[in-house]
Amino acid sequence: MRKARMVAAAAGVVLLVAGCGSNGGSDKGGSSGGNTSVTSGGSTGGSTGGSGGGEELTAEAVKKEIDTAATGAGFTQDASGDKVPAGTEQCMVMWTADSAKAADQKKSYKETVTALGQAGWNIDKNFEQSGSTIKSLSKGTWLLKASDHSMGMLKMDMFIATDAKPECEAALKAAGPQKTP
């Protein structure tokens, strides 16, 4: 129960600090990078398009891309923090790393973000403060906040993606802020 509350609190911090709207996230106050777009020629074979034609990116495809990048970088998933609000399953993906099991948490985070860039995710914004790093990425209509908190007692890495389509924005707004038990 304690870990679930920490995950919920950290998710709230990620969303509050980095923003999670259709504007790609606000990076007011403390941004250490502007629009640093990283693009690569590599793609996921067109099966999860979403930008510039091809098939639409689904929540399942986003989750698979995050999982592939994170596990390939040395993270294992801590599924206890990955539940999304009811009614937003097609609009939101949460992937929480069991950061304690990573050989080098910071390195795994950086490699995950790099792998996502190679899979076609654009790195739009970077926010760093007090040992936490939050990167805003985008692909198609999806916005992803990749956060690394590795200073102090809180050691956590989370990847939270939301679809910015109007119907998803309405579903996310209707779900409202989540309360921890």
Side-chain angles (χ1 to χ4, degrees), residues 11 15 20 58-60 62-63 66 81-95 142-143 158-164 168 171-172 175-176 178:
L15 295 174
C20 196
T58 64
E60 187 62 35
V62 169
K63 186 167 182 88
I66 294 170
D82 295 342
K83 186 171 174 145
V84 299
T88 66
E89 295 85 357
Q90 298 305 309
C91 300
M92 183 176 196
V93 172
M94 290 183 68
W95 199 100
W142 284 84
L143 307 170
M158 295 181 69
F159 303 88
I160 302 172
T162 56
D163 193 338
C168 282
L172 292 166
Q178 300 302 300

Side-chain angles (χ1 to χ4, degrees), residues 118-140:
Q118 292 170 344
W121 288 85
N122 293 316
I123 301 173
D124 300 321
K125 297 184 188 277
N126 185 46
F127 176 87
E128 293 184 357
Q129 184 175 12
S130 302
S132 292
T133 301
I134 303 169
K135 294 187 183 286
S136 297
L137 297 91
S138 61
K139 183 174 184 181

Side-chain angles (χ1 to χ4, degrees), residues 53-103:
E55 295 178 35
E56 188 173 309
L57 197 57
T58 64
E60 187 62 35
V62 169
K63 186 167 182 88
K64 183 175 181 174
E65 287 187 11
I66 294 170
D67 186 66
T68 299
T71 56
F75 280 131
T76 56
Q77 185 176 15
D78 178 2
S80 67
D82 295 342
K83 186 171 174 145
V84 299
T88 66
E89 295 85 357
Q90 298 305 309
C91 300
M92 183 176 196
V93 172
M94 290 183 68
W95 199 100
T96 305
D98 187 343
S99 301
K101 292 182 180 176

